[in-house]
Amino acid sequence: MALIGYTNKLVSDIKSLFLQDEIMCKLLYYNNEDGDILELPPVKNPVKELKDKIFLNRRLEALQKDADVGMTINLYSKQNWRREGKKSDTSLKNIVEIGIVVHNDCDDTLNGSRMNALIELTIKKLLYSNIDGLGDFHFENMFMMKDLSIEYTGYLLYFNIFNLSEEG
């Protein structure tokens, strides 16, 4: 089955990149463990096990049912590419929104805050990974979510990505 369009590939490839990271999978999967998360066994079949933890093209507010940890990957907007006063009508800048929600009961771990670890891993993964055909990611901003239930903490991270890599 082939994906239709650049943005479907973009969102799907970001999810695949996150599912390949062993530490990120452990932080999302092992949410009620008291020990060191890094010493726990790797998540077997992360695609299946994390299907209710990482969502594509959904809002975070809809996730607050049973999940202690949740993540969404959304296309936030498309804009004409601009740089240093120059504008292009043929190249587009895509803004990707990554949402992370953590229940307060599972945020504190022996490894520190689960929320902070997921934020750092997300930024590191997108800035330093090269996904063929997607282009370069640039971290734009991060905002705390204000409309969540008091039991949850959530952040929205925004990344710019251009249709073509700056290197060529």
Side-chain angles (χ1 to χ4, degrees):
M1 174 175 68
L3 296 172
I4 298 173
Y6 174 81
T7 53
N8 279 323
K9 178 177 176 19
L10 172 67
V11 172
S12 179
D13 284 354
I14 292 171
K15 180 179 179 180
S16 295
L17 181 70
F18 291 164
L19 290 174
Q20 293 171 12
D21 187 286
E22 185 176 310
I23 298 172
M24 187 174 282
C25 288
K26 287 180 181 183
L27 286 167
L28 290 167
Y29 183 73
Y30 295 112
N31 54 8
N32 293 320
E33 303 295 329
D34 292 330
D36 185 353
I37 292 174
L38 299 177
E39 293 179 2
L40 295 171
V43 178
K44 293 180 181 175
N45 195 358
V47 173
K48 178 183 174 189
E49 297 297 331
L50 298 176
K51 70 179 180 184
D52 293 330
K53 302 279 188 176
I54 301 177
F55 298 92
L56 304 180
N57 305 313
R58 286 189 39 195
R59 294 183 55 190
L60 274 171
E61 293 79 18
L63 301 178
Q64 302 178 46
K65 295 177 184 166
D66 300 298
D68 289 330
V69 182
M71 180 180 279
T72 62
I73 305 166
N74 300 302
L75 178 68
Y76 180 73
S77 74
K78 283 183 154 303
Q79 302 170 0
N80 285 332
W81 177 82
R82 292 174 187 251
R83 180 180 267 173
E84 300 170 3
K86 297 177 183 176
K87 177 182 170 186
S88 171
D89 292 328
T90 57
S91 295
L92 295 175
K93 173 176 75 169
N94 300 282
I95 299 178
V96 175
E97 174 188 82
I98 309 289
I100 303 170
V101 171
V102 176
H103 193 276
N104 293 337
D105 289 344
C106 70
D107 187 41
D108 290 329
T109 70
L110 288 177
N111 307 96
S113 167
R114 184 183 308 270
M115 174 64 77
N116 291 341
L118 285 169
I119 289 170
E120 293 296 324
L121 284 171
T122 300
I123 292 170
K124 179 180 156 187
K125 261 321 217 193
L126 290 179
L127 291 183
Y128 300 112
S129 294
N130 185 10
I131 305 173
D132 290 339
L134 289 187
D136 297 321
F137 284 87
H138 302 276
F139 179 70
E140 183 70 26
N141 213 335
M142 180 177 86
F143 299 101
M144 185 176 205
M145 295 174 60
K146 303 290 185 187
D147 54 351
L148 290 173
S149 167
I150 193 141
E151 295 92 20
Y152 289 86
T153 304
Y155 287 90
L156 296 172
L157 290 76
Y158 294 91
F159 295 86
N160 291 331
I161 183 166
F162 303 95
N163 286 28
L164 297 174
S165 174
E166 291 179 12
E167 295 176 358

